[in-house]
Amino acid sequence: MPDADEHALLAAAQRDDVAAFGQLVRLQQGRVRGFLRRLCGDHALADDVAQERFLLAWRRLRDFRGEGSFGAWLCGIAYRRFLQSQRRQRRETVLNEAHAREWQEAGPMLETPALQQRALERAMTHLNSQEAAAITLNITLGYSHAEVAGILGLPLGTVKSLINRGLPKLRAILTSSAGVSHEDQ
Amino acid sequence: MKTNEPTEQTLDTLLRTPLDVPDDGFSAAVVSSIARQRPGSWPLAGEMLWAAWLLALAGAIIALPWERTAHWLASLSQQWNAWLLQTQALSHPLWAQTEQWSTTMAGWLPVMLALGLLWMLMALVED
């Protein structure tokens, strides 16, 4: 969608036009929900957080000054909410237990694109939140390093090192999971 | 090499695959939640209540005569001790410490309230 259209929708939504905001949600929901799914690993939880964040975005729409993209602003508020929920319930402990058995029973996880994506999602949950967020925002969602730094509220150098550190970890996790699957055959 | 082992290229391709999340009525649910909130409700009512509460708390911390409150608590504690001694209900030496304890607590009260206020403000700002 051209930026001009998004700007027009944003301007309308900032004048309390719910229908325009609905169109913005339709345009951005995949990005925000996909981002949160990569961070949480739990689709239902990610969708709940996303819905709550869109409602907050509606209430705070006037705070958006258009300094970055609307999608980046949404990802930023989604990420902050994710960090809050993570503080309440450490995702590592929950996810590691929940996924450990699933990981072992998954079989040849890298056979179909859907399974490949699921394997990637699971592997992402084994990175720390900042690494997972930086990699998803930069490589999958295509934000520049500077934009990612703005979304995560981190220095540019930190974002680059998070990505450089996270990618080898991700590769190692995926390699070991593929190995486990094969040895189980 | 294991046949399914993710190569550099595989991982890159996987990561660059667009996040395909179908709407599945998600945007409609968001819009209907907004519509439900609208009639007769002020979208910022929650935030305004929080702000009013925080202001009242801050005002109380600033305005309360803490020295007098501490004296009052100490005097209350003395009366309590006197009543305990009079009734001889409790003869445990721990009760002798009550006066000192209550005075100390009264002194710490503003600090604890200020910390609570700070914590709530941080929670609001984070959101």
Side-chain angles (χ1 to χ4, degrees):
Chain A
M1 150 158 275
D3 280 352
D5 285 358
E6 189 174 276
H7 283 145
L9 286 172
L10 257 170
Q14 284 177 326
R15 291 191 302 270
D16 281 349
D17 184 339
V18 183
F21 185 71
Q23 285 190 55
L24 282 172
V25 176
R26 254 189 300 283
L27 289 172
Q28 297 291 343
Q29 60 86 26
R31 180 169 286 256
V32 176
R33 288 166 75 197
F35 173 53
L36 286 168
R37 284 177 178 195
R38 282 275 165 88
L39 293 182
C40 299
D42 178 340
H43 289 194
L45 176 67
D47 288 357
D48 284 349
V49 173
Q51 181 162 3
E52 189 204 314
R53 289 294 96 173
F54 273 110
L55 293 176
L56 181 74
W58 165 252
R59 293 202 301 270
R60 299 205 173 155
L61 209 52
R62 286 174 210 278
D63 295 348
F64 178 67
R65 306 268 175 235
E67 284 148 5
S69 74
F70 182 58
W73 183 68
L74 286 171
C75 285
I77 56 176
Y79 179 68
R80 285 193 290 281
R81 179 66 183 86
F82 165 74
L83 285 184
Q84 284 174 0
S85 66
Q86 198 193 25
R87 247 174 261 151
R88 288 189 201 117
Q89 188 179 32
R90 295 292 301 162
R91 72 174 190 156
E92 280 82 4
T93 52
V94 175
L95 287 171
N96 284 351
E97 284 165 19
H99 290 316
R101 197 173 48 246
E102 190 187 350
W103 189 284
Q104 296 290 329
E105 291 168 356
M109 288 190 290
L110 303 176
E111 275 182 1
T112 69
L115 287 174
Q116 285 175 344
Q117 283 302 320
R118 191 69 192 120
L120 177 65
E121 221 166 69
R122 276 197 299 269
M124 279 283 191
T125 62
H126 289 257
L127 299 181
N128 74 44
S129 338
Q130 290 184 333
E131 289 166 348
I135 289 171
T136 307
L137 289 167
N138 177 239
I139 302 176
T140 310
L141 296 177
Y143 290 114
S144 69
H145 287 129
E147 283 176 309
V148 176
I151 293 169
L152 302 183
L154 294 170
L156 186 62
T158 308
V159 167
K160 287 179 182 172
S161 71
L162 282 171
I163 294 169
N164 289 336
R165 209 170 53 212
L167 283 174
K169 267 197 212 174
L170 198 56
R171 200 172 298 116
I173 295 165
L174 281 167
T175 304
S176 71
S177 76
V180 165
S181 306
H182 264 272
E183 283 152 21
D184 289 349
Q185 297 301 297
Chain B
M1 184 179 158
K2 297 172 185 80
T3 51
N4 278 345
E5 194 167 293
T7 61
E8 197 82 26
Q9 198 184 355
T10 315
L11 179 61
D12 193 58
T13 310
L14 270 177
L15 283 170
R16 286 185 195 283
T17 304
L19 294 169
D20 184 23
V21 184
D23 189 293
D24 289 340
F26 179 87
S27 53
V30 172
V31 169
S32 70
S33 294
I34 292 170
R36 269 201 309 275
Q37 283 177 358
R38 292 191 101 194
S41 76
W42 189 16
L44 291 175
E47 282 90 341
M48 295 302 284
L49 271 175
W50 264 105
W53 194 85
L54 286 173
L55 272 175
L57 190 65
I61 288 171
I62 294 163
L64 271 179
W66 289 107
E67 202 177 334
R68 250 170 44 204
T69 310
H71 282 305
W72 176 77
L73 282 171
S75 128
L76 193 70
S77 159
Q78 277 171 356
Q79 285 173 34
W80 172 246
N81 275 348
W83 179 79
L84 285 174
L85 287 170
Q86 194 183 352
T87 57
Q88 294 185 333
L90 293 164
S91 55
H92 196 278
L94 180 69
W95 288 97
Q97 302 294 323
T98 310
E99 183 183 350
Q100 191 190 342
W101 176 82
S102 65
T103 311
T104 311
M105 286 308 286
W108 278 100
L109 209 56
V111 178
M112 289 190 287
L113 280 172
L115 284 174
L117 181 68
L118 189 68
W119 176 74
M120 282 185 289
L121 276 172
M122 282 173 69
L124 274 179
V125 169
E126 271 183 357
D127 202 36

